[in-house]
C-alpha cells in the first residue's frame, strides 16, 4: 500500500480513528486512577572473596560472584527454598522469576542489586528481607574448593519508596493504542475488500 492510499484511508475514517483514540485514552486514564499504588524496596549485596591474599587475587580474577548468585537465585532448589521461607503460594514464571515484582541484576562482578515491588510498603520490605536473607543463606552452598566468599548488604537500612505513576505516559500510551488498533482494523478491512 502506498502513501497516497494510506492517506486516503486516514481521510476516509478519521472520525472513527479519533473516536477510538479517545476511547483508548479514556480506558488508559481509568486504569491510571483504578490501579493500586505500589512500593519498591531496593538494596545492594556485596560479594567478596575471603581468607588468603592469593585466593583473593585468584578468585577475583577468575570468578564472577554476582553471576553465580544470580544463577543460584534462578535454580529450582532456591525457588523451593524461598517459597518455603515466604510461606505463601507464589507463582513462578520461567525466564521472569518468582514474580513480576522481583528483580535481581548484576551491577559489577561483586555487586548485586535486588528490588522487590508490592502493593504495600510493609509487605515490600518483608519480602525484600526474606529474599535477601535467603540469598545469603543459600549462597553458602557455593562455597566449595577455592571459592570462599562472603555476602553482605551494603547498608542495613532499607531503601523503600512509592512507585510514581506518570499520568502523561498513561495518556499518550492510551491514545497511541486506540489509534493503532483502529488504524490496523481499517487497513486490514481495506486489504480484505480488495
Amino acid at each position: 500500500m502506498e502513501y497516497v492510499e494510506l492517506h486516503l484511508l486516514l481521510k476516509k475514517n478519521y472520525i472513527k480513528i479519533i473516536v477510538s483514540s479517545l476511547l483508548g485514552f479514556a480506558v488508559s486514564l481509568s486504569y491510571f486512577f483504578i490501579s493500586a499504588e505500589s512500593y519498591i524496596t531496593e538494596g545492594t549485596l556485596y560479594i567478596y572473596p575471603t581468607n588468603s591474599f592469593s585466593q583473593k587475587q585468584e578468585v577475583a580474577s577468575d570468578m564472577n560472584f554476582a553471576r553465580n548468585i544470580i544463577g543460584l537465585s534462578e535454580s529450582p532448589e532456591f525457588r523451593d527454598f524461598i517459597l518455603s521461607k515466604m510461606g505463601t503460594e507464589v507463582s513462578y514464571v520461567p525466564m521472569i522469576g518468582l514474580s513480576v515484582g522481583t528483580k535481581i541484576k548484576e551491577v559489577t562482578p561483586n555487586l548485586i542489586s535486588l528490588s522487590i515491588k508490592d502493593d504495600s510498603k510493609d509487605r515490600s520490605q518483608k519480602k525484600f528481607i526474606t529474599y535477601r536473607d535467603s540469598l545469603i543463606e543459600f549462597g553458602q552452598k557455593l562455597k566449595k574448593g577455592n571459592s570462599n566468599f562472603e555476602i553482605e548488604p551494603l547498608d542495613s537500612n532499607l531503601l523503600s519508596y512509592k512507585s510514581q505513576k506518570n499520568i502523561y505516559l498513561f495518556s499518550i500510551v492510551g491514545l497511541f493504542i486506540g489509534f493503532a488498533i483502529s488504524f490496523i482494523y481499517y487497513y486490514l478491512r481495506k486489504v480484505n475488500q480488495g
Side-chain angles (χ1 to χ4, degrees), residues 50-61 146:
T50 57
N51 289 343
S52 71
F53 178 72
S54 63
Q55 187 228 339
K56 284 182 187 177
Q57 285 182 327
E58 185 179 319
V59 173
S61 63
N146 240 2

Side-chain angles (χ1 to χ4, degrees), residues 28-144:
S28 180
L29 216 54
S30 299
Y31 180 73
F32 174 81
F33 289 112
I34 292 172
S35 64
E37 296 188 347
S38 58
Y39 293 86
I40 298 173
T41 301
E42 293 182 316
T44 306
L45 296 175
Y46 178 50
I47 310 161
Y48 57 94
T50 57
N51 289 343
S52 71
F53 178 72
S54 63
Q55 187 228 339
K56 284 182 187 177
Q57 285 182 327
E58 185 179 319
V59 173
S61 63
D62 292 344
M63 291 197 62
N64 186 326
F65 295 117
R67 285 190 191 152
N68 288 341
I69 296 298
I70 291 171
L72 182 73
S73 74
E74 295 171 357
S75 71
E77 294 84 3
F78 180 76
R79 201 170 41 221
D80 187 48
F81 183 75
I82 190 74
L83 291 177
S84 68
K85 287 273 191 181
M86 287 188 177
T88 58
E89 192 63 36
V90 179
S91 61
Y92 182 82
V93 180
M95 304 302 287
I96 294 175
L98 288 173
S99 68
V100 177
T102 304
K103 291 181 186 174
I104 182 169
K105 71 175 190 174
E106 174 186 4
V107 180
T108 70
N110 295 86
L111 292 175
I112 290 177
S113 172
L114 176 62
S115 174
I116 304 286
K117 185 176 185 179
D118 204 309
D119 296 340
S120 155
K121 185 176 181 179
D122 291 336
R123 279 199 313 265
S124 172
Q125 290 177 342
K126 286 178 186 174
K127 282 183 180 179
F128 178 87
I129 291 169
T130 302
Y131 203 95
R132 180 194 64 197
D133 294 347
S134 297
L135 270 176
I136 292 170
E137 184 179 342
F138 207 74
Q140 303 299 315
K141 295 183 180 292
L142 295 180
K143 290 185 176 185
K144 306 280 188 223

